[in-house]
Amino acid sequence: MKLYGSITSPYVRRIRFLCMELGIPFTLVDTMTDAGQKELREKNPLWKIPYAEIDDVKIWDSHTITDYLLETKGSGNFRPKTGTHHFREANLLTAIDQALDNGILLFYLNKEGIKPDAAPYLTKNALRISSILDFIKQELNGHFFFTDGKVGLSEMALFTALDWMRFRSVLPVEEDPIFASFLNFHGQSKSWKETAPK
């Protein structure tokens, strides 16, 4: 498997974590380099990461890559994607991804000197993150979303989102006791430690 992306991308990190946990070997093409970016743009019309080439299949979205890996390689110790929890987990993923995407937008705009109060749309984005994170805290059952005590796609998404927000200083998530406990609990995993952004 050939995976295109950067070690700081939370979406790429999900795939790296999943591969490590499932024992799937992969080669990471660093798209932060000129050569990696050139190769990505030649192969992926979206110019978006993660992009993966697996078993002669080309996939350019983290959710589709995840689906392909779980369907073809098995779910290992992860909570299966199908089941009575499926639609609740899908909603959780949508919410977490929305908060993360809004956080990424704010991060890049801040680098350009544009603050959330520069326009009503940006203010709404910032407020949306808070709304989503409040919802997520209500949905968590300790360190998991479901009572099975297994890591699933929603836990994987939340960990990468929160850890990226902490790493990029987008939000002080580590100051929230619920999120701090969640990050500390799951952060002990060898795969999370090995995929940590630097």
Side-chain angles (χ1 to χ4, degrees):
M1 171 176 163
K2 201 171 182 180
L3 178 64
Y4 291 75
S6 68
I7 61 169
T8 55
S9 165
Y11 288 108
V12 174
R13 189 180 184 192
R14 292 179 193 179
I15 306 304
R16 293 166 59 220
F17 173 79
L18 188 63
C19 286
M20 288 182 178
E21 289 290 300
L22 295 177
I24 301 169
F26 67 93
T27 302
L28 181 67
V29 178
D30 186 359
T31 55
M32 296 299 286
T33 66
D34 290 342
Q37 189 61 217
K38 181 176 184 292
E39 192 175 341
L40 172 72
R41 292 184 181 203
E42 287 171 352
K43 296 183 173 189
N44 180 348
L46 280 64
W47 296 4
K48 178 184 171 188
I49 57 172
Y51 163 65
E53 296 176 348
I54 318 164
D55 305 328
D56 297 323
V57 177
K58 296 173 174 57
I59 310 172
W60 50 59
D61 175 76
S62 61
H63 291 292
T64 312
I65 295 168
T66 298
D67 288 348
Y68 183 87
L69 292 176
L70 293 176
E71 287 173 19
T72 60
K73 312 299 182 185
S75 57
N77 291 324
F78 286 96
R79 180 186 313 115
K81 188 174 177 184
T82 57
T84 55
H85 64 278
H86 172 67
F87 292 105
R88 180 177 173 223
E89 187 146 58
N91 280 341
L92 288 166
L93 284 170
T94 299
I96 294 165
D97 285 354
Q98 183 69 64
L100 178 57
D101 288 345
N102 286 5
I104 291 170
L105 174 65
L106 293 178
F107 170 72
Y108 281 108
L109 288 175
N110 188 57
K111 282 181 74 173
E112 298 294 327
I114 303 169
K115 301 300 180 188
D117 60 359
Y121 173 75
L122 298 179
T123 302
K124 181 180 177 182
N125 273 353
L127 292 172
R128 184 182 287 137
I129 297 173
S130 297
S131 171
I132 292 169
L133 293 182
D134 286 344
F135 164 75
I136 292 299
K137 283 193 288 188
Q138 293 170 18
E139 292 295 301
L140 272 172
N141 296 305
H143 301 123
F144 301 92
F145 285 106
F146 300 91
T147 55
D148 58 10
K150 285 186 173 236
V151 171
L153 301 182
S154 48
E155 287 84 5
M156 190 169 69
L158 182 60
F159 188 89
T160 53
L162 293 176
D163 206 33
W164 181 86
M165 288 177 187
R166 174 173 61 180
F167 171 68
R168 290 299 194 190
S169 301
V170 171
L171 286 173
V173 292
E174 69 278 3
E175 294 178 11
D176 185 288
I178 293 174
F179 289 146
S181 177
F182 177 88
L183 285 166
N184 182 60
F185 179 85
H186 290 283
Q188 303 308 310
S189 158
K190 182 173 181 282
S191 297
W192 280 135
K193 288 179 178 177
E194 290 185 6
T195 60
K198 300 170 185 168

